[in-house]
Structures are given as structure tokens and as C-alpha cells.
Amino acid sequence: MKIIKYHDQVVKETPHKVDVREMYSTESATATIITLRSGESLKPHKTPVDVFFFIFEGYPTIHIGEESEVCEIDSLVESPANVVHFLSNNSDKVARILVVKAPRPKILSKVL
């Protein structure tokens, strides 16, 4: 059994300049946890694989294509490959989101 603890993971350097911690990475998938403080946002980008978001803290707004919706805790949101998407936090509470990409992308996401 392998156990990976969130607080033991380093914050990754990304173009988004927010707290992103890699929790899992294999050929088949990646999983990261993104923490957005009030007012923080990812930059719009496209991912070459399908992605899903699971909200386990806060009320982030998920933007996918032309749609945007404030999501609540315990919600899962699907985002298809090659569609512009991003996350933002317009609430006054911290938001934490599990992001899973499957399969693991062979090329980097394209920040717009």
C-alpha cells in the first residue's frame, strides 16, 4: 500500500500561480488537488484529455466552454478534452478541488 499525504506534497510551479499539488501520476491517469483562495483563478486553458473535477471544499465556479456554474461540495464535473476550461473562486471561502486527467496527457495543456 502506498499512502500519499496532501501536506507532504510540494506546491507545483504552474502558469496559474495557485496552490497545485500532484497526488498521483501514472501512465493511466493523474490526480492533483488545487486550492483556490478567495479571488484566485486558473487561466483559461485546453487539456488534450478528458478531465473531471471533484469539489470537496468551498464553492468554486467551474467554467467549461460557454458554461459557468458555481459548484457545491461533493459535486463532480466532467470536462471533455480540447475544450477551454478554468476554475475560479469568487466566494469568501477557500475552495479545494480534486482534478483527475485520464489518460495522463502526453503533451502539456495549452494556456490561452
Side-chain angles (χ1 to χ4, degrees):
M1 177 185 316
K2 182 177 182 179
I3 298 173
I4 300 165
K5 296 182 179 180
Y6 170 79
H7 292 290
D8 291 342
Q9 303 309 302
V10 297
V11 176
K12 286 182 66 172
E13 184 65 33
T14 70
H16 305 288
K17 305 296 184 201
V18 298
D19 188 323
V20 176
R21 299 177 196 217
E22 186 172 83
M23 301 300 294
Y24 178 82
S25 182
T26 67
E27 287 298 314
S28 60
T30 65
T32 57
I33 295 177
I34 296 176
T35 301
L36 294 175
R37 292 181 181 17
S38 181
E40 289 186 328
S41 178
L42 297 183
K43 297 177 186 305
H45 61 283
K46 290 183 182 181
T47 304
V49 297
D50 292 338
V51 180
F52 71 79
F53 309 104
F54 183 80
I55 293 81
F56 61 94
E57 185 176 353
Y59 298 91
T61 302
I62 310 295
H63 310 266
I64 300 173
E66 299 297 317
E67 298 180 86
S68 295
E69 188 164 334
V70 175
C71 295
E72 58 187 47
I73 295 167
D74 295 336
S75 296
L76 186 138
V77 180
E78 296 179 9
S79 179
N82 299 310
V83 173
V84 176
H85 64 273
F86 67 101
L87 312 172
S88 62
N89 183 8
N90 301 315
S91 76
D92 61 352
K93 302 201 181 316
V94 168
R96 288 202 309 161
I97 305 101
L98 174 67
V99 179
V100 176
K101 297 176 183 176
R104 184 172 125 208
K106 303 246 187 264
I107 59 173
L108 294 175
S109 296
K110 182 178 181 180
V111 176
L112 305 174

